[in-house]
Amino acid sequence: MISSVFGAFLFLAASLPAGTAPDPVAVPHFPDILHTFVWRNWPLVPVERMAETVVATPDQILEIGRSMGLPDPELIPLDQWQRSYITIIRRNWHLLPYDQLLTLLGWSEDKMAFTLREDDFLYVKLGGLKPDCLPLRYKQPSESARKKAVKIAGIFSDLPNAEKTEPLFSFVSRLSEKPPAVTGKPGESLFSPRFCSSYFATYGDPLLKAEPDPYPDGYLARLAASGVDGVWLQAVLYKLAPFPWDPELSNRHEERLEQLRDLTKRAGKYGIGVYLYLNEPRAMPLPFFEKREHIKGVVEKDHAAICVSTPEVRQYLEDAVAYICRQVPDLAGFFTITGSENLTNCWSHHQGMDCPRCSKRSPEEVISDVNISIRKGISDANSKTRLIAWDWGWKDEWAPGIIKKLPGDIALMSVSEWGIPIARGGIDTTVGEYSISVVGPGPRALKNWSAAAANGLELFAKLQVNNTWELSSVPYIPAVANLARHIARLKDRNIKGLMLGWTLGGHPSPNLEVVAELSEPGNLTVDQALLNVAEKRFGRVAAPAVVSAWETFSTAFSEFPYHAGTVYNAPLQTGPANLLHAQSSGYKSTMVGLPYDDLESWRSVYPPDIFIQQMEKVAEGFRKGLQILSGINNRDSSTAEQRDNLAQEKRIAEACAIHFQSVANQSNFVLNRDALAAAKDSTTAIPLVTGLREIIRKEMNLASRLRQLQLEDSRFGFEASNHYFYIPQDLAEKVLNCQFLLEEWLPEQEKRFTADRKRGLSETNNLKTASAAL
């Protein structure tokens, strides 16, 4: 779950952030907040813990759950608890105040504060605010609440179920089982390493023995069979090496190093190297500097940078890296982010002018110092571990100077698709990163690679092979032809290695296999690579149709209305699990967290009608590709594994289509809802009511169908750094939400405007009568 070294921070006064603390979002489709609480936590939190949270008995909680038709809860394994805390926090964010949320999780205030800050920007993903929730206490349900619960039970029981269901997180054990073949693709490769992150690793402190194994042997074997020859995980130097200024922060570092040594040896059996992501030196809380002012750098809120412009800090970086390399001699490499993410060096967030030392030095000097110090540590240990400097976050004008200062044995990695101009729906914009819908490489990477090559550095490309924030709730996006063309364009760019994805994208897939095919020396064409992978996965007879479907998905995906604001803010990850609000929620969409009903942020630079049009084009294209797959006769796949692969491909394609269509539906709903709120007469309002009814029904159907798919395939809705964006219970709640809007909200709107129309007709008739009398 979360690193136990957080205990080293207990000397600090915990402060749980609240931001503007607005009122929570209402949930009128439940009888009350207590019923909402029980419904949302039923599959994830033990009944005893729920009861403790709201001062109830387990039997009282069970009674509420059963009254809504929920089946008796099953035992929640420790592994599930460790992998779902973000899902639990997110679904209770608008229900519980902090103290009760801590009780629900069994956490201390310090642990929550540490998690919100350090667990991949979790507080940012939650909106940078905590809704001002009233304390929730159990009370016996009223008669009205009981009647509403019975109605909910009826709706819930009518939902279609899957023929064969699998519990949440079933994919972890399935991927961890050792497959029949355990070797990767042998022979020479144009791109090596090809490294990815774990599909299911916990983000916090995965190298502690009590944490779930991020890379079980069976999973490593499957990655190798997909053509992966490297894996990465996050590292924090003070967790892996002695921290000279406060040794307590390094408690249990020997245990982590032991686990890392074991991982490198196990991975090595499959031809896989292990890489560590460094974002260093990590900022420290302000009290840390009370006796260490001489190394204090830029201040950001309640933390400050450890200033790299001091020799003492550079020596720390060098010594810590050397220590790790000596302790883990089989470590394949490090890669660094030095211009963004957490506050690290004083120029990392572009504010170096606020440091008395770094203000006298250029960003190029400071950022290169970080990489040079790490490289010196590798050299001190006489290690073969390689260093990859990622240019993510460097300002364009900084890059040439930084690259020029880097030693020739450092590799330069750049996001391949960055900076490509696109026009979608007639709207011109530029791609940043996280895109499979556009085929790279782009001008930024080409420029930086050129500078790096001139300085003798090896060149690495970072891309997203399986999925992106364009859609991360599926194990991979089957727009395989786009990906293949991207890889083919990199073959003549002298690229040495490929980073295959950020925290998302580590599932064995045809996407990874196509990369491996095109990584082999020779003149293999894109079409042949696609056909080779399709034949292996689906059989020789079925392969041409599968490739046709991949081309269709790729063409459709090229219509995706890409913008950084859209991929981070639109309800792409939640799809139809995102609720519809009868009135504006007043909340801004958050980064891949809580979309609410913030259409303005969802659409970004696209006008609403264009945004909806483009999403519908993508959805329609995925439906067409699904039709091609559905036309394949199962007998065309000769083995049971190939038939299972085909069924999986169909489910993934349908889930993609549902997500994209739902974004269009939700956008249409917000437009029509707001127009209805502004309507002045029944002539305007009644057609809007009719349109809204149709949209709501469509969303209800999508939620019901996606629920069936997720019951069949536990991978849907999951992404490692966000846990489950939704579970089947949430999709069932969306059906309740839609039913409420259809049965209670829309009739009220019709009644309001029908009354206005009757009143208008009556007044007109009275005037006619008076006129006739005159």
Side-chain angles (χ1 to χ4, degrees):
M1 199 182 288
I2 295 301
S3 165
S4 64
V5 303
F6 101 96
F9 286 91
L10 289 178
F11 67 90
L12 301 173
S15 176
L16 295 178
T20 55
D23 291 336
V25 172
V27 279
H29 47 278
F30 283 111
D32 49 42
I33 299 300
L34 183 63
H35 282 76
T36 310
F37 167 78
V38 172
W39 176 281
R40 291 185 180 174
N41 290 290
W42 193 260
L44 295 172
V45 180
V47 168
E48 294 76 13
R49 187 67 64 79
M50 283 193 270
E52 180 186 358
T53 300
V54 297
V55 193
T57 66
D59 284 344
Q60 289 170 328
I61 298 298
L62 285 169
E63 181 185 12
I64 291 177
R66 289 166 178 163
S67 75
M68 293 186 287
L70 299 178
D72 284 354
E74 298 180 0
L75 180 69
I76 296 171
L78 174 63
D79 185 70
Q80 174 176 319
W81 189 251
Q82 291 172 312
R83 297 183 189 278
S84 61
Y85 59 88
I86 292 176
T87 301
I88 293 169
I89 291 171
R90 192 166 49 232
R91 68 205 302 100
N92 288 282
W93 199 240
H94 284 264
L95 302 182
L96 300 176
Y98 269 129
D99 60 340
Q100 289 186 280
L101 190 51
L102 295 176
T103 302
L104 187 70
L105 291 163
W107 286 7
S108 69
E109 191 172 322
D110 298 89
K111 187 169 186 176
M112 176 64 80
F114 184 78
T115 303
L116 290 175
R117 176 179 173 84
E118 295 294 338
D119 206 308
D120 197 36
F121 305 103
L122 180 56
Y123 188 57
V124 174
K125 292 176 180 177
L126 293 167
L129 53 82
K130 175 68 179 78
D132 186 17
C133 303
L134 296 174
L136 181 61
R137 297 287 183 264
Y138 173 84
K139 65 177 180 179
Q140 190 171 359
S142 66
E143 185 61 28
S144 172
R146 291 180 187 277
K147 288 180 179 179
K148 289 180 180 178
V150 170
K151 185 175 181 180
I152 287 172
I155 297 170
F156 186 56
S157 66
D158 286 342
L159 288 174
N161 286 305
E163 290 184 12
K164 184 179 180 181
T165 63
E166 61 176 38
L168 296 175
F169 298 104
S170 295
F171 61 84
V172 177
S173 58
R174 189 167 61 246
L175 289 174
S176 301
E177 294 171 355
K178 192 166 291 188
V182 296
T183 57
K185 292 184 71 65
E188 188 181 352
S189 175
L190 297 175
F191 305 116
S192 185
R194 301 182 299 279
F195 65 108
C196 68
S197 63
S198 171
Y199 182 66
F200 49 74
T202 55
Y203 194 85
D205 203 352
L207 291 174
L208 286 178
K209 291 180 180 179
E211 294 297 307
D213 186 351
Y215 292 104
D217 277 56
Y219 176 51
L220 288 169
R222 283 177 165 79
L223 287 176
S226 296
V228 171
D229 65 0
V231 294
W232 71 267
L233 62 162
Q234 180 192 218
V236 177
L237 282 183
Y238 65 68
K239 293 182 182 182
L240 291 173
F243 192 58
W245 301 287
D246 188 349
E248 286 189 19
L249 285 182
S250 302
N251 285 346
R252 301 176 71 182
H253 76 273
E254 298 94 340
E255 177 186 334
R256 296 186 187 87
L257 289 171
E258 180 185 347
Q259 293 292 94
L260 184 58
R261 278 192 298 272
D262 175 70
L263 174 57
T264 60
K265 292 183 185 304
R266 288 191 295 108
K269 292 188 301 182
Y270 306 102
I272 291 176
V274 177
Y275 295 78
L276 296 181
Y277 156 48
L278 294 182
N279 188 210
E280 296 287 345
R282 300 303 281 262
M284 286 287 125
L286 293 178
F288 171 87
F289 296 97
E290 288 177 358
K291 297 180 180 179
R292 306 175 182 94
E293 192 71 27
H294 64 292
I295 59 171
K296 181 179 178 182
V298 168
V299 175
E300 194 173 271
K301 296 182 178 178
D302 57 353
H303 280 60
I306 301 179
C307 184
V308 173
S309 290
T310 61
E312 185 178 348
V313 173
R314 294 197 297 274
Q315 190 65 50
Y316 157 66
L317 292 174
E318 182 178 339
D319 292 346
V321 169
Y323 180 82
I324 294 169
C325 290
R326 292 188 185 103
Q327 295 294 317
V328 191
D330 295 325
L331 184 66
F334 300 97
F335 70 88
T336 62
I337 291 180
T338 45
S340 189
E341 298 299 287
N342 300 283
L343 175 65
T344 55
N345 68 80
C346 293
W347 280 107
S348 61
H349 287 184
H350 306 177
Q351 301 297 322
M353 72 289 293
D354 294 333
C355 171
R357 291 167 293 273
C358 294
S359 60
K360 300 172 184 176
R361 307 181 70 217
S362 69
E364 293 89 338
E365 290 177 287
V366 174
I367 288 173
S368 61
D369 271 352
V370 176
N371 288 290
I372 290 169
S373 297
I374 292 171
R375 180 255 185 190
K376 284 182 178 178
I378 295 171
S379 179
D380 291 348
N382 196 28
S383 172
K384 295 180 180 179
T385 303
R386 72 196 312 167
L387 175 59
I388 306 160
W390 190 359
D391 64 10
W392 205 98
W394 297 355
K395 285 189 175 183
D396 287 347
E397 59 267 29
W398 298 352
I402 298 171
I403 292 168
K404 192 173 182 179
K405 292 178 181 297
L406 296 179
D409 55 357
I410 294 179
L412 188 280
M413 183 163 71
S414 196
V415 176
S416 184
E417 68 269 26
W418 200 310
I420 298 177
I422 60 171
R424 305 272 165 92
I427 304 300
D428 293 328
T429 186
T430 303
V431 167
E433 59 172 338
Y434 291 119
S435 181
I436 294 175
S437 70
V438 66
V439 178
R444 183 180 185 274
L446 293 174
K447 178 183 176 182
N448 288 353
W449 286 334
S450 177
N455 198 35
L457 277 62
E458 285 187 338
L459 312 182
F460 275 52
K462 184 271 177 186
L463 33 77
Q464 292 293 139
V465 167
N466 269 341
N467 53 16
T468 77
W469 300 124
E470 292 163 318
L471 178 57
S472 67
S473 297
V474 294
Y476 57 89
I477 301 169
V480 192
N482 279 358
L483 169 68
R485 292 187 179 94
H486 194 158
I487 298 299
R489 292 181 184 179
L490 294 175
K491 291 179 75 168
D492 61 354
R493 297 289 180 181
N494 199 30
I495 303 300
K496 175 64 176 176
L498 301 176
M499 183 179 183
L500 304 174
W502 188 234
T503 58
L504 59 168
H507 195 286
S509 68
N511 302 40
L512 291 175
E513 291 171 20
V514 164
V515 173
E517 286 283 330
L518 290 169
S519 296
E520 294 181 3
N523 298 315
L524 189 70
T525 66
V526 165
D527 291 343
Q528 190 59 53
L530 293 171
L531 191 62
N532 289 353
V533 172
E535 286 182 354
K536 182 175 68 172
R537 291 185 69 87
F538 307 103
R540 184 179 58 81
V541 178
V546 173
V547 171
S548 177
W550 286 346
E551 291 281 5
T552 302
F553 297 141
S554 297
T555 299
F557 208 34
S558 296
E559 295 287 349
F560 181 87
Y562 183 94
H563 188 273
T566 293
V567 297
Y568 280 132
N569 292 299
L572 291 157
Q573 324 312 327
T574 53
N578 192 41
L579 299 176
L580 301 177
H581 301 273
Q583 294 84 34
S584 171
S585 71
Y587 276 81
K588 296 287 291 181
S589 179
T590 75
M591 184 179 76
V592 297
L594 300 166
Y596 300 112
D597 52 350
D598 182 16
L599 176 58
E600 290 300 297
S601 296
W602 300 351
R603 65 182 181 83
S604 191
V605 298
Y606 297 91
D609 58 332
I610 299 296
F611 180 69
I612 293 166
Q613 165 194 294
Q614 293 303 116
M615 282 295 177
E616 288 183 334
K617 282 183 182 179
V618 179
E620 178 60 24
F622 273 82
R623 287 192 291 269
K624 287 180 179 177
L626 176 59
Q627 287 176 349
I628 297 172
L629 294 178
S630 299
I632 300 173
N633 193 315
N634 271 347
R635 288 173 294 184
D636 292 343
S637 296
S638 56
T639 69
E641 182 182 6
Q642 289 172 346
R643 289 189 288 275
D644 183 64
N645 287 342
L646 182 59
Q648 169 182 276
E649 205 75 1
K650 291 176 184 176
R651 285 197 302 268
I652 290 173
E654 186 176 3
C656 290
I658 287 172
H659 274 256
F660 297 131
Q661 184 61 58
S662 180
V663 175
N665 290 348
Q666 292 178 54
S667 302
N668 250 326
F669 175 85
V670 173
L671 277 182
N672 282 271
R673 179 203 68 187
D674 292 349
L676 180 61
K680 303 297 183 184
D681 54 62
S682 60
T683 303
T684 305
I686 298 305
L688 290 169
V689 170
T690 302
L692 283 163
R693 183 175 289 110
E694 183 64 23
I695 294 166
I696 294 167
R697 284 174 176 159
K698 287 179 179 178
E699 271 297 278
M700 187 160 56
N701 290 336
L702 291 183
S704 178
R705 178 56 184 156
L706 186 57
R707 177 177 176 272
Q708 282 183 282
L709 292 175
Q710 192 181 35
L711 287 170
E712 294 173 3
D713 192 332
S714 62
R715 298 172 301 174
F716 292 144
F718 179 83
E719 191 277 320
S721 65
N722 291 282
H723 300 173
Y724 273 109
F725 288 110
Y726 56 82
I727 60 174
Q729 196 86 340
D730 301 316
L731 293 161
E733 181 179 342
K734 178 60 171 286
V735 173
L736 301 180
N737 165 234
C738 291
Q739 199 74 30
F740 167 81
L741 294 173
L742 289 172
E743 294 183 359
E744 299 193 36
W745 177 63
L746 277 184
E748 281 296 317
Q749 304 306 306
E750 276 186 310
K751 182 178 177 182
R752 177 164 65 93
F753 282 103
T754 301
D756 289 345
R757 181 164 59 182
K758 287 180 178 179
R759 187 163 49 250
L761 289 173
S762 176
E763 290 172 356
T764 299
N765 288 334
N766 289 339
L767 284 172
K768 288 180 178 178
T769 301
S771 177
L774 287 172

